[in-house]
Amino acid sequence: MRKFLLFAALMGVLVPVGWAHADSASAISGKMEDLPSGEAIYRHICQSCHMADGQGAVGAGAQIPALAHNPRLQVASYPATVILKGYGAMPWFAGLLNDKQIADVVDYIRTHFGNTYTDKLNPSEVALMRPHLTAEEQ
Amino acid sequence: MASSSHARSQTRRQLLSRIGMVAGSAALYQAMTSMGHAMGTDFSGPPKLSGAKKGTSVLVLGAGLAGMLSAYELRKAGYIVKIIEFQSRSGGRNISLRGGDTVTELGGATQKVGFAPGNYINPGPWRIPYHHQGLLHYCRAFGVQLEPFIELNHNSWLHSTGSFGGKAIRYRELAADFNGFTAELLAKAVNQHKLDDLVSPDEVAHLKDAMRGWGALTPELAYIKGNISSLRRGFEKAQGGGLNGAPVPSELMNRNEIWKSGLWNWMAFHERLDMQTTMFQPVGGMDNIGKAFTKQIRDLLQLNCKVTAIHQDNAGVTVTYNDMQHGGAVRQAKADYCVCTIPLSILSQLDVQVSDGMKAAIGAVPYASSVKLGLEFKRRFWEEDDQIYGGISFTDQPISQVSYPSHGIFSKGPAVLLGGYMFGPAAYDFAGMTPQERLEEGIKQGLAFHPQYRKEFLNGVSFAWSRVPWTLGCCSMWSEEARKTHYKTLCSIDQRIVLAGEHASYVGCWQEGAILSALDAVTRLHQRALGAA
């Protein structure tokens, strides 16, 4: 019932992703912030769940994984795949973020929160990992 | 972008898929239609389950609407039923916040709601379409008082930062001009024989008539400044009485800017089947539904149980949980069958003994992020200053919308409005802020069309669903691929366990989805328990 709507031509200059939900306010969500860097992407998207300090959180018998000191970040393609395809409760971001943005945010989390993996992810590698995922029509 | 589509074609395709779903029980549907009893969703009345084998037990996990309804119907059928629930309250996402309530979210932020007595905000579901007949049936059966929810308000604001100089316009102005200019273009095109290939000569006259009437055109088929258009969009100087009562018509907006603004999206929004009038809300807060359901099953309910494992074998189901009222003591509950309504966002992380296919299905559905802001103001300035009574103003800023209370209209004293309702990117952004930052942003953005905000603001609360410990999101978000691969498995009975909730429906993110899913699950579970399926 959800869908990324493409209102690019209509809604102006910022990334005009609409995300429709059944009992949602609008078939169009508000404009997305400009996200020019890995840090901006982390602040405006990731920290909504993984928290500002990357520590994640523990809920009802379930958790939001910590990114801080996380050995699974060792290989850049792992976080890139999770971001592109989603994982469990985590939504996929293939529709929201472009290849460069995904590379940016992967580089950011792999070099912050106590992680020190300095090799960079190339956006062209992200392009090869892109899944075919379509939000349901709303 | 994962995909793109046009708002209008989506609505149509959604309709078609609905029709497709109904076609499964075509005979029944046709019969009901001819009797004038056709229902909106495929609810066809409560199940009439009876004759459970004596002593058969069912454990229900989760006391939201799906869990409580499952328990209610299964007990009626003769089962021994018990519900265990994580929270210290029942109702699940059916929730209202009032003065004195506390909201603690993941990350640790705690908010104390400061609303005046009688005021509330519904952070989850907040409106019920007239065709959600399953939910409405149980509201009536359980004595929930409903009142109209005002969805469409012609006097509400539409605001686009990049259009009309950033100035908000009234819904009626946009609707009148959009319809008027569209009708004029079509009528002119026909008149000038530009559509001769598409429109037959005998259709032309009717089409021109229709455009004139629909679009408020002059007899010459023009949409222009004058009384005809102002009777739709409003006058510059309103109609009055006496000597100086003559109205002054208002200027039309720039046609090109109307298309470009995208504001028409919010006209289309109210045309969706889900949003059409009449909509309802429970009197006094959405959680009055949860409370009424609770009354029916209170004796079956055990709160504060954190489920950690769900196991099953030929003999039955064993659920392991921490009894949070007793220091998290590990306990087990056993039953012959289990109806599990735990959100998939949580369930996918628990130790659940089901088939590989079911496990994959449980892990295949992410949960959407959503944030709501409830703002309390000293007075109803939207009514007193702007003549906005209920309904929704829309903006292209991240807050997306401001919705005014449908209840208590004309009353004095503080009132609460919905100061923002974000999904998608804007929801991620707001959820990542502190509660104080969310309110400040909400006020700042609302000022674009409510200059009274600062002066009249009293207090507010934000609810970020991705930080809710018991859902980690607001509702299921199926991809087309996951639906195709996993939906039927998710809904199937896995030995002794069946799942229910909005996630196991095609009415996702609506309470009706929880109701219909629960009814379907318990009906099939009953057949299974009787050895019939």
Side-chain angles (χ1 to χ4, degrees):
Chain A
M1 309 222 102
R2 284 135 295 273
K3 180 154 198 79
F4 291 104
L5 304 177
L6 221 160
F7 289 108
L10 309 162
M11 297 303 287
V13 287
L14 296 181
V15 184
V17 175
W19 208 341
H21 282 265
D23 192 15
S24 75
S26 164
I28 309 135
S29 65
K31 275 184 204 164
M32 197 166 120
E33 293 286 330
D34 204 8
L35 301 174
S37 69
E39 182 179 8
I41 295 164
Y42 190 85
R43 294 294 158 218
H44 291 290
I45 297 180
C46 312
Q47 79 174 23
S48 67
C49 293
H50 292 282
M51 303 296 159
D53 57 4
Q55 291 294 341
V58 177
Q63 60 158 347
I64 297 165
L67 302 176
H69 304 284
N70 189 332
R72 297 177 110 182
L73 298 176
Q74 199 167 354
V75 180
S77 61
Y78 178 74
T81 306
V82 169
I83 294 166
L84 282 166
K85 298 182 181 173
Y87 188 92
M90 176 175 160
W92 66 93
F93 288 87
L96 198 59
L97 300 174
N98 63 33
D99 295 341
K100 180 179 177 303
Q101 287 175 315
I102 289 187
D104 285 348
V105 75
V106 165
D107 289 345
Y108 180 79
I109 59 175
R110 292 178 75 242
T111 52
H112 289 78
F113 315 118
N115 303 310
T116 51
Y117 307 107
T118 49
D119 58 302
K120 298 244 185 255
L121 180 62
N122 193 318
S124 63
E125 296 171 68
V126 177
L128 299 173
M129 291 184 243
R130 278 200 173 268
H132 182 72
L133 280 171
T134 320
E136 288 192 320
E137 293 192 326
Q138 160 84 340
Chain B
M1 214 63 45
S3 69
S4 69
S5 170
H6 204 276
R8 184 161 298 179
S9 71
Q10 283 166 0
T11 306
R12 226 172 63 189
R13 289 180 68 165
Q14 187 184 34
L15 262 169
L16 289 173
S17 83
R18 285 263 158 79
I19 291 165
M21 283 163 58
V22 173
S25 52
L28 174 67
Y29 182 74
Q30 203 169 15
M32 288 172 57
T33 307
S34 61
M35 292 188 299
H37 290 154
M39 307 279 188
T41 56
D42 69 353
F43 178 74
S44 54
K48 295 189 174 66
L49 311 180
S50 64
K53 284 184 200 159
K54 209 170 152 50
T56 309
S57 59
V58 182
L59 183 62
V60 177
L61 306 181
L65 297 192
M68 292 194 283
L69 183 58
S70 298
Y72 170 81
E73 289 293 350
L74 287 168
R75 170 158 66 179
K76 255 186 15 182
Y79 292 93
I80 301 164
V81 181
K82 182 178 172 174
I83 315 176
I84 62 177
E85 160 61 40
F86 169 74
Q87 292 187 72
S88 54
R89 58 172 282 276
S90 53
R93 283 166 274 182
N94 175 290
I95 185 171
S96 303
L97 297 176
R98 301 181 180 79
D101 287 343
T102 298
V103 178
T104 300
E105 60 184 47
L106 295 178
T110 295
Q111 303 171 75
K112 182 108 179 177
V113 185
F115 297 161
N119 285 345
Y120 67 88
I121 190 82
N122 295 324
W126 56 310
R127 53 190 160 183
I128 306 169
Y130 71 89
H131 51 85
H132 283 188
Q133 288 287 325
L135 179 62
L136 290 170
H137 167 84
Y138 286 100
C139 284
R140 290 194 296 276
F142 298 162
V144 180
Q145 204 188 336
L146 299 167
E147 62 191 357
F149 172 95
I150 300 166
E151 167 72 23
L152 170 60
N153 182 335
H154 283 74
N155 207 38
S156 64
W157 294 112
L158 299 180
H159 171 253
S160 162
T161 42
S163 306
F164 306 108
K167 211 171 142 281
I169 57 175
R170 300 282 189 174
Y171 181 95
R172 60 179 150 74
E173 296 171 332
L174 178 86
D177 288 4
F178 182 93
N179 293 346
F181 285 129
T182 305
E184 182 185 41
L185 284 174
L186 185 52
K188 274 186 181 159
V190 167
N191 242 6
Q192 296 169 15
H193 300 285
K194 290 184 172 147
L195 296 181
D196 284 358
D197 289 351
L198 300 172
V199 184
S200 67
D202 59 326
E203 198 181 344
V204 164
H206 297 301
L207 180 56
K208 285 198 290 193
D209 264 357
M211 289 306 102
R212 187 167 50 79
W214 171 60
L217 308 185
T218 64
E220 296 75 34
L221 302 177
Y223 184 69
I224 52 171
K225 176 181 177 179
N227 285 352
I228 299 177
S229 58
S230 284
L231 282 165
R232 299 276 175 98
R233 69 192 313 288
F235 288 91
E236 177 68 37
K237 175 185 176 298
Q239 300 138 292
L243 198 57
N244 294 314
V248 176
S250 56
E251 290 291 344
L252 309 183
M253 293 185 290
N254 177 287
R255 190 179 78 195
N256 184 34
E257 199 160 5
I258 290 173
W259 318 134
K260 211 170 68 184
S261 73
L263 290 177
W264 45 264
N265 275 301
W266 293 311
M267 285 171 66
F269 180 70
H270 300 292
E271 299 302 318
R272 301 154 41 93
L273 183 60
D274 285 345
M275 300 297 170
Q276 290 174 12
T277 60
T278 304
M279 303 193 89
F280 301 102
Q281 64 179 14
V283 174
M286 186 54 82
D287 68 350
N288 282 327
I289 294 180
K291 286 174 182 167
F293 275 55
T294 303
K295 240 184 228 164
Q296 302 293 326
I297 51 83
R298 195 187 299 281
D299 54 318
L300 311 178
L301 181 60
Q302 188 181 342
L303 302 170
N304 302 300
C305 301
K306 186 170 82 175
V307 171
T308 56
I310 306 166
H311 289 180
Q312 59 177 336
D313 57 27
N314 289 336
V317 180
T318 304
V319 171
T320 307
Y321 62 94
N322 297 109
D323 182 346
M324 304 311 281
Q325 242 169 358
H326 295 94
V330 178
R331 303 195 199 284
Q332 290 195 324
K334 289 175 190 288
D336 295 312
Y337 297 96
C338 174
V339 177
C340 177
T341 71
I342 296 174
L344 301 180
S345 48
I346 306 291
L347 190 62
S348 58
Q349 297 190 41
L350 304 185
D351 170 14
V352 186
Q353 194 179 31
V354 286
S355 68
D356 288 348
M358 179 63 95
K359 254 200 147 67
I362 290 169
V365 188
Y367 273 50
S369 185
S370 169
V371 176
K372 272 188 180 174
L373 308 178
L375 308 179
E376 184 171 60
F377 294 96
K378 292 172 197 157
R379 65 184 181 96
R380 294 175 178 248
F381 56 82
W382 52 93
E383 297 182 5
E384 294 168 6
D385 304 352
D386 289 333
Q387 293 84 53
I388 295 173
Y389 306 99
I392 305 170
S393 291
F394 291 97
T395 171
D396 66 346
Q397 300 173 101
I399 55 168
S400 300
Q401 67 164 327
V402 169
S403 180
Y404 315 94
S406 296
H407 52 280
I409 284 169
F410 290 119
S411 61
K412 297 272 177 213
V416 173
L417 56 65
L418 177 67
Y421 184 13
M422 290 69 93
F423 267 94
Y428 296 128
D429 201 3
F430 267 73
M433 300 177 192
T434 65
Q436 292 78 6
E437 288 168 344
R438 293 174 198 150
L439 294 181
E440 177 52 31
E441 264 307 307
I443 291 169
K444 235 166 54 191
Q445 294 177 24
L447 279 167
F449 47 97
H450 285 308
Q452 306 96 326
Y453 254 37
R454 282 272 182 229
K455 186 165 168 259
E456 305 293 348
F457 179 74
L458 283 172
N459 65 81
V461 64
S462 61
F463 205 87
W465 279 97
S466 59
R467 292 190 171 192
V468 171
W470 37 273
T471 54
L472 306 181
C474 66
C475 51
S476 61
M477 194 168 79
W478 284 90
S479 67
E480 282 181 12
E481 291 76 11
R483 181 81 78 177
K484 216 152 95 188
T485 312
H486 298 294
Y487 181 73
K488 287 207 160 144
T489 306
L490 189 85
C491 293
S492 68
I493 301 175
D494 192 291
Q495 291 185 67
R496 294 172 172 274
I497 299 170
V498 67
L499 308 192
E502 57 83 21
H503 48 275
S505 83
Y506 276 84
V507 201
C509 297
W510 288 96
Q511 296 177 106
E512 181 76 355
I515 299 294
L516 297 181
S517 160
L519 295 180
D520 180 64
V522 298
T523 302
R524 284 183 293 117
L525 191 69
H526 180 53
Q527 288 164 356
R528 167 70 59 93
L530 290 179

